[in-house]
Amino acid sequence: MKNKTIKILSTLNDKGKRLDIFLSENLADFTRSNIKKMINSEKVKINNTITSSQSKKITEGDTIKIEVKEIEDIKLTPSKGKIDIIFEDDDLVIVNKPQGMVVHPGAGNKSNTLVNILIGNYGKELSNLGGVIRPGIVHRIDKDTSGLLVIAKNNLSHASLGKQFSEHTISRKYMALIWGVLRPLKGSIKTFITRSKKNRQMMTASEIKGKEAVTHYNTLKVYSKEYIPKISLIEFELETGRTHQIRVHMKYKGTSIIGDKQYRKKNNQFKKIDKNLVK
């Protein structure tokens, strides 16, 4: 293993936040327990000063540095699994990730991921800017989400793609089926998104704190004859990329994505709905 330093710059929206909450919102790959250990073991600096206080308050413009151990000696197992390639050239590959597939190895899943298949197909012909366990990976989508992923074949394309994602010059669109109908049928949802106080594994929409989140949506079709209750097919375009953004914004609008067990409304129970459809 070797040490790696992660650097984060706080903004006006972060002013007054506890250090542990701030890090939880910005380090999606780390649990609250991991973050607590890093702070207690003096691996966190605020403006180059080590702090061991989880409740330390953040101010606008703070530079927070976190020293983490990067795994170098992990051995990725190549897989001969097939991937759905949509486009490929000398610099990148665009693959269609199926629902249920994890993007890269993690705790409890070190062999059945997209990265294992990429290694099996491309070997070392992938960028290494993402680290040892994320060769070629520029961005991710959730395990239960299907969709297109851009894979970098070299470091130059990885850096260029990363900059485009960071500067929001890449257009990302998603489609999902939701319960009911959104009003208006086309529009934008603008809130802040912050970590839920009730469940630290979930996010929640807020009018006053968190990170700004903007979701543009368009209703493609409303199914009102075959199904009870109504179901809508929605196209989403993200202006920002916050954790669970679409799911949080659907809950904010009083509905949820069909099949979303984490953010669904508790009263989404229907007496007349077909049992096969629910399944």
Side-chain angles (χ1 to χ4, degrees):
M1 293 186 180
K2 69 175 182 178
N3 290 334
K4 173 184 176 182
T5 300
I6 299 174
K7 181 179 176 181
I8 308 171
L9 184 65
S10 65
T11 65
L12 179 60
N13 291 332
D14 300 315
K15 185 177 180 180
K17 289 182 181 177
R18 286 170 52 111
L19 176 61
D20 55 352
I21 294 176
F22 171 81
L23 292 179
S24 294
E25 293 175 347
N26 286 275
L27 300 175
D29 290 339
F30 295 87
T31 64
R32 285 293 299 275
S33 178
N34 293 146
I35 289 170
K36 180 179 178 180
K37 289 178 181 178
M38 287 190 290
I39 297 173
N40 290 341
S41 58
E42 299 185 338
K43 299 295 184 182
V44 179
K45 292 181 180 180
I46 299 179
N47 300 324
N48 290 322
T49 300
I50 293 175
T51 180
S52 57
S53 171
Q54 298 177 53
S55 60
K56 175 76 174 176
K57 292 299 188 340
I58 298 296
T59 61
E60 180 185 3
D62 281 344
T63 299
I64 296 88
K65 294 180 180 179
I66 309 97
E67 187 178 294
V68 298
K69 289 184 177 180
E70 185 176 29
I71 300 175
E72 282 189 319
D73 54 358
I74 186 171
K75 292 183 179 179
L76 294 175
T77 305
S79 171
K80 295 300 181 180
K82 294 183 179 180
I83 49 177
D84 183 10
I85 298 175
I86 304 300
F87 174 84
E88 181 175 4
D89 61 16
D90 293 337
D91 297 304
L92 55 86
V93 185
I94 298 178
V95 301
N96 186 20
K97 186 192 83 68
Q99 183 271 343
M101 178 182 286
V102 177
V103 173
H104 61 74
N109 193 348
K110 297 182 179 180
S111 58
N112 300 312
T113 74
L114 176 62
V115 161
N116 298 105
I117 298 176
L118 289 172
I119 292 296
N121 282 269
Y122 293 95
K124 296 182 179 180
E125 297 178 8
L126 295 168
S127 73
N128 58 21
L129 290 185
V132 179
I133 62 173
R134 298 182 179 90
I137 301 301
V138 181
H139 65 120
R140 295 170 291 172
I141 53 178
D142 292 343
K143 173 185 175 182
D144 292 325
T145 302
S146 62
L148 302 183
L149 281 174
V150 185
I151 308 300
K153 282 183 164 183
N154 53 65
N155 289 349
L156 185 61
S157 63
H158 191 134
S160 178
L161 288 165
K163 182 179 180 182
Q164 292 176 63
F165 275 106
S166 177
E167 296 178 348
H168 308 297
T169 55
I170 287 180
S171 175
R172 291 167 291 166
K173 292 185 178 181
Y174 300 81
M175 288 195 296
L177 288 168
I178 68 163
W179 295 113
V181 181
L182 293 179
R183 300 295 183 190
L185 295 177
K186 182 178 181 180
S188 299
I189 306 169
K190 299 179 181 180
T191 71
F192 294 106
I193 287 182
T194 185
R195 197 164 293 278
S196 171
K197 291 182 179 180
K198 297 180 181 179
N199 184 343
R200 303 302 297 177
Q201 300 302 313
M202 296 175 65
M203 310 300 287
T204 186
S206 171
E207 300 289 346
I208 57 175
K209 64 178 182 178
K211 291 186 175 181
E212 183 183 29
V214 182
T215 302
H216 306 293
Y217 69 89
N218 181 32
T219 302
L220 300 179
K221 188 171 183 179
V222 176
Y223 301 90
S224 57
K225 294 182 180 180
E226 298 93 338
Y227 304 113
I228 300 175
K230 290 182 179 179
I231 290 171
S232 298
L233 177 62
I234 309 294
E235 180 183 75
F236 299 96
E237 184 168 2
L238 302 185
E239 191 171 312
T240 56
R242 308 306 177 201
T243 302
H244 301 169
Q245 180 171 318
I246 295 175
R247 299 158 72 189
V248 171
H249 273 171
M250 286 302 92
K251 185 173 183 179
Y252 176 77
K253 293 286 283 186
T255 183
S256 62
I257 294 174
I258 294 176
D260 184 356
K261 298 179 180 180
Q262 192 172 16
Y263 286 91
R264 70 181 177 186
K265 294 182 66 178
K266 292 182 179 180
N267 61 352
N268 270 0
Q269 303 295 329
F270 306 100
K271 295 179 180 179
K272 296 181 181 180
I273 195 167
D274 186 274
K275 291 183 179 179
N276 289 325
L277 177 60
V278 175
K279 185 178 179 180

